[in-house]
Amino acid sequence: MHNNLTIYNTLSRKKEEFKALNPPYVGMYVCGPTVYSDVHLGNCRTFISFDLIYRYLKHLGYTVRYVRNITDAGHLEGDGDSGEDKISKKAKLASLEPMEIVQQYTNGFHNMMAVFNVSPPSIEPTATGHIIEQIEMVKTILEKGFAYEVNGSVYFDVEKYNQTQDYGVLNNRKLEDLLNNTRDLGGQDEKKGKLDFALWIKAKPEHLMQWPSPWGMGFPGWHLECSAMSNKYLGEQFDIHGGGMDLAPTHHTNEIAQNVASCGKHPANYWIHTNMLTVNGQKMSKSLGNSFLPHELFSGQHPLLQKGYSPMVVKFFMLQAHYRSTLDFSNEALDASEKGFKRLMAALALLEKVKTSSQSEVDVKALEEKFAKAMNDDFNSPILIAELFDAVRIINSIYDGKTAISADDLTALKNLIQVYVFDILGLQDENQAHDIEPLISFLINIRKEAKENKDYVTSDKIRIGLQEIGYQLKDSKEGTTWSKI
């Protein structure tokens, strides 16, 4: 198996040669979305990045079991086990069942992944579908002495765990530093220590999502689901665990503690984290008014955007930055990516029109080695794209008759481009891609939600915007249909 792959491991804070535990099999777990709202661009970047990793591992010949969960219960508003369950709160506000909220936003998430041509995972388990496994893990952690029960809730004892294990191993933080940076417990808090976190939470009578357990009616803590499900589908130890960098300090740190406490083993050999998004140099956030959803980026209907950009242009823009680098959105950067993407696709279209020669001046093997070197260096997509533009220069030169290429080398070049541009980067030629149904269906769902919320401005913007690009919506009692004008 061809493999010179190195991966930056958050756990060791350095690049390491990738060695699968059980080649040719690879287990990869990525923390998925909490489905209480539309998927945001930060999520999209994370899942596009791990799709790239998934595709490249398969290209190297690995058989990958990719597990990406859906959080449909247990994620409270505050990371410190405070506030309401995000899904239950949304359900109450909308006067809907929690599972209606879950279904609505899970559908929206899947539609958006299809729009970006992101591969579905091998397994997509849900928190509510694995309550039994989570309860069993809590029981084991209790039996091992690393948790305690108070009034129907169960908490992980971080300070006791840290006596034999390094709780801050993922971020190289000492327990004393973590304790000093954590708020004091309130007088009503049941936890023994400031860093202790909930494994199981006693439910109040009015809580919409609760299940029976040995400790009474309740629901699992947010961190527990990933430990239980990764253990079930990938085993006590697997190859790769990933997510956004915001998950490392708390969520992933607690996952490691839960796994080690229950089975004595660190769950993953390689921890991979994607970096954050910024807009014009500022962190993207709702409070700053500079965040926008994917459909706003596509339509251009946002005060910070001068125009809309197609899904493939947005994906290409994201891939032009390394997954560990900050990605800064600006109109100028998006415009440059749009020009670059069109230039790339235009050159690839020329491959069907070039004339071959008995001689060849193109070293396809050298191009392939450059492409592989880029991807083997921690999935370095921006370097790969730079090398692809070198191939663009060569293709244009062949088309202009300035460089000769043989029939065999032309076939090899076409195959190489197919593999790296379409199979690995997951890009699509939008001039040839006619399946826009996922995108329009997604926009129709957004419009439906806007109308239900009496947000007629957004509803009209979507209808008019689609009409301007050639698609007409028709509303009826049965729902909304669309047709090309």
Side-chain angles (χ1 to χ4, degrees):
M1 181 179 295
H2 171 70
N3 181 20
N4 297 307
L5 176 63
T6 59
I7 296 175
Y8 182 87
N9 191 349
T10 307
L11 196 62
S12 64
R13 291 162 288 283
K14 64 182 181 182
K15 289 181 185 178
E16 299 178 8
E17 180 184 352
F18 178 68
K19 295 180 179 179
L21 282 168
N22 186 29
Y25 302 102
V26 168
M28 181 169 75
Y29 189 96
V30 175
C31 291
T34 300
V35 283
Y36 73 103
S37 64
D38 293 315
V39 62
H40 58 74
L41 282 169
N43 281 148
C44 291
R45 187 203 186 179
T46 292
F47 302 131
I48 286 170
S49 297
F50 281 99
D51 184 51
L52 174 73
I53 291 168
Y54 178 41
R55 288 168 177 267
Y56 192 63
L57 288 170
K58 290 198 295 182
H59 168 71
L60 292 178
Y62 290 109
T63 300
V64 186
R65 177 176 287 176
Y66 175 16
V67 182
R68 185 185 68 205
N69 69 300
I70 294 286
T71 297
D72 58 354
H75 194 170
L76 303 184
E77 292 174 291
D79 283 347
D81 304 320
S82 61
E84 286 189 75
D85 179 282
K86 292 184 176 183
I87 292 165
S88 293
K89 182 178 181 180
K90 190 66 174 274
K92 288 176 184 176
L93 291 172
S95 297
L96 295 171
E97 283 290 327
M99 284 299 112
E100 287 183 272
I101 296 296
V102 166
Q103 192 66 55
Q104 175 184 338
Y105 291 112
T106 300
N107 290 345
F109 170 64
H110 288 155
N111 287 339
M112 185 52 68
M113 292 301 98
V115 165
F116 280 123
N117 194 32
V118 169
S119 310
S122 315
I123 303 173
E124 193 173 53
T126 64
T128 56
H130 295 78
I131 298 297
I132 293 172
E133 288 85 353
Q134 294 179 79
I135 289 173
E136 288 303 311
M137 180 167 274
V138 176
K139 287 163 66 176
T140 300
I141 295 172
L142 277 166
E143 290 167 5
K144 298 287 182 69
F146 291 110
Y148 54 92
E149 187 259 336
V150 182
N151 298 326
S153 293
V154 181
Y155 299 100
F156 192 94
D157 192 333
V158 170
E159 291 186 54
K160 184 170 183 181
Y161 171 83
N162 198 70
Q163 291 173 4
T164 55
Q165 303 291 333
D166 183 0
Y167 174 71
V169 63
L170 188 62
N171 288 307
N172 197 29
R173 299 288 302 278
K174 297 298 181 185
L175 188 69
E176 295 76 17
D177 296 334
L178 293 170
L179 286 168
N180 290 335
N181 291 324
T182 304
R183 66 173 179 81
D184 289 330
L185 292 171
Q188 302 302 312
D189 205 313
E190 300 173 330
K191 300 175 187 178
K192 293 179 181 178
K194 292 196 291 185
L195 293 172
D196 294 356
F197 58 91
L199 299 172
W200 186 264
I201 303 169
K202 180 181 180 179
K204 296 177 181 178
E206 66 273 15
H207 193 87
L208 294 178
M209 305 175 80
Q210 52 181 289
W211 292 265
S213 78
W215 317 284
M217 296 299 293
F219 55 95
W222 172 39
H223 316 299
L224 187 63
E225 62 176 288
C226 291
S227 288
M229 293 190 290
S230 66
N231 190 293
K232 177 170 183 173
Y233 294 112
L234 299 175
E236 293 179 348
Q237 285 188 300
F238 51 95
D239 297 288
I240 295 170
H241 195 313
M245 66 181 296
D246 57 309
L247 298 180
T250 304
H251 185 55
H252 288 166
T253 290
N254 291 346
E255 270 192 68
I256 291 174
Q258 289 168 161
N259 282 71
V260 174
S262 63
C263 67
K265 298 176 182 176
H266 279 254
N269 279 358
Y270 302 86
W271 288 80
I272 301 177
H273 292 97
T274 57
N275 211 325
M276 72 172 82
L277 304 183
T278 58
V279 179
N280 299 319
Q282 284 187 304
K283 183 179 178 181
M284 183 182 285
S285 71
K286 289 182 181 178
S287 61
L288 292 174
N290 67 349
S291 66
F292 34 82
L293 293 169
H295 71 87
E296 293 174 315
L297 194 52
F298 301 154
S299 68
Q301 298 294 335
H302 191 280
L304 292 176
L305 295 169
Q306 295 173 356
K307 55 178 277 192
Y309 300 90
S310 72
M312 282 303 109
V313 167
V314 175
K315 182 173 185 176
F316 185 68
F317 168 71
M318 290 185 178
L319 291 169
Q320 282 185 295
H322 190 263
Y323 75 88
R324 285 193 291 112
S325 300
T326 301
L327 178 64
D328 187 54
F329 279 83
S330 69
N331 289 288
E332 294 75 17
L334 286 162
D335 284 343
S337 285
E338 184 175 54
K339 290 175 184 176
F341 178 72
K342 288 180 177 178
R343 181 176 162 226
L344 175 62
M345 291 299 129
L348 302 191
L350 295 178
L351 282 172
E352 300 303 323
K353 303 175 182 178
V354 300
K355 296 178 180 179
T356 58
S357 172
S358 58
Q359 302 297 317
S360 188
E361 299 171 295
V362 180
D363 191 342
V364 180
K365 189 67 178 175
L367 280 174
E368 183 177 11
E369 288 174 356
K370 290 178 180 178
F371 294 174
K373 182 180 179 182
M375 285 301 292
N376 283 335
D377 182 14
D378 193 27
F379 313 103
N380 202 322
S381 58
I383 298 297
L384 170 61
I385 289 171
E387 298 293 357
L388 283 168
F389 278 112
D390 191 39
V392 164
R393 180 187 57 77
I394 294 169
I395 292 167
N396 287 331
S397 181
I398 296 168
Y399 181 76
D400 292 338
K402 297 176 182 177
T403 301
I405 190 169
S406 66
D408 286 347
D409 278 353
L410 179 60
T411 299
L413 182 58
K414 286 180 179 178
N415 290 338
L416 184 63
I417 293 298
Q418 173 66 42
V419 167
Y420 277 89
V421 174
F422 303 112
D423 297 345
I424 293 174
L425 289 178
L427 296 170
Q428 293 176 317
D429 186 346
E430 291 172 319
N431 292 323
Q432 297 179 4
H434 301 295
D435 185 13
I436 63 159
E437 185 168 353
L439 175 58
I440 294 183
S441 296
F442 178 78
L443 290 172
I444 287 173
N445 286 333
I446 293 293
R447 180 171 174 263
K448 178 175 178 287
E449 184 185 348
K451 289 174 73 176
E452 288 171 351
N453 293 331
K454 302 190 186 312
D455 182 4
Y456 299 114
V457 173
T458 298
S459 170
D460 288 342
K461 278 183 179 179
I462 293 171
R463 177 181 57 79
I464 294 167
L466 284 171
Q467 188 171 311
E468 287 176 348
I469 61 173
Y471 296 94
Q472 184 172 339
L473 300 183
K474 184 177 181 180
D475 296 318
S476 68
K477 292 180 181 179
E478 289 74 34
T480 302
T481 57
W482 63 274
S483 59
K484 191 167 177 60
I485 298 172

